[in-house]
Amino acid sequence: MKTFSGYQLITPDDLHWRPSNLMKIPNADFLERTGSENMGARLWRMPPMSANTLHKHIRTEEFYFVLEGTGRIRIGEESVTVPKHGGVLVGPDQLRQVFNDTEEEVLWLIIGAPEEMEFLKGSLSDMDLSLIYPQDPKQLPPELEGVTWPPAG
């Protein structure tokens, strides 16, 4: 793992927004252009009535911070509400899933370290994905019962 040296300014124009592979949640990776192998940092725009993947990590601790709206995250069997400008730290061994059971978009900043480089390809990885997806990663939390996500097409 190499250490980043110096500094690099990242502006909004540098961000590339794309839908996530499995759940089609718009996200932008702040650090992809820096080559950082020590941490990851992404913005996630959670549309109304949506959910990200249910997952865990091998080594990565993640800090979830709500920039806009009221955040909701499932950690194990518990659902936690995170107010605007609030955050929650989640250890690598905990199943977690960010979701939005409101009618308003929620903007999260999620920072994780150390970066698990072997899993950056997500569902396209050649690695044993059951290590990060021990259960169906597309299952929705109970709060979204009856909702269809990701959207078809």
Side-chain angles (χ1 to χ4, degrees):
M1 180 179 330
K2 68 180 182 177
T3 302
F4 181 78
S5 181
Y7 73 93
Q8 184 172 348
L9 175 65
I10 302 164
T11 67
D13 290 339
D14 296 326
L15 296 177
H16 170 69
W17 287 88
R18 66 166 192 85
S20 61
N21 291 333
L22 291 178
M23 300 300 272
K24 308 304 179 202
I25 302 292
N27 69 96
D29 188 335
F30 267 102
L31 300 180
E32 70 184 340
R33 289 181 177 83
T34 68
S36 174
E37 294 182 6
N38 295 317
M39 74 169 64
R42 286 182 186 263
L43 286 174
W44 291 88
R45 287 200 172 278
M46 299 297 297
M49 308 309 284
S50 68
N52 212 334
T53 57
L54 179 64
H55 71 285
K56 66 179 191 169
H57 290 278
I58 298 168
R59 296 180 298 278
T60 301
E61 296 178 1
E62 288 183 313
F63 181 68
Y64 294 78
F65 184 81
V66 177
L67 295 166
E68 297 173 359
T70 299
R72 301 275 284 146
I73 183 170
R74 173 167 61 159
I75 305 169
E77 297 299 318
E78 184 177 352
S79 293
V80 177
T81 299
V82 184
K84 180 178 179 178
H85 299 158
V88 60
L89 179 64
V90 181
D93 59 335
Q94 299 293 305
L95 272 173
R96 83 282 313 264
Q97 181 178 40
V98 173
F99 65 94
N100 183 0
D101 58 351
T102 75
E103 296 299 325
E104 303 295 324
E105 181 179 84
V106 179
L107 180 63
W108 290 84
L109 172 62
I110 303 174
I111 300 170
E115 183 75 279
E116 292 172 339
M117 301 300 285
E118 61 269 41
F119 291 108
L120 283 181
K121 293 181 183 176
S123 65
L124 305 176
S125 175
D126 292 335
M127 303 301 290
D128 179 4
L129 294 179
S130 71
L131 297 173
I132 57 173
Y133 301 129
Q135 298 178 19
D136 176 6
K138 289 186 173 185
Q139 70 175 272
L140 300 179
E143 291 84 352
L144 292 177
E145 184 176 341
V147 171
T148 300
W149 193 269

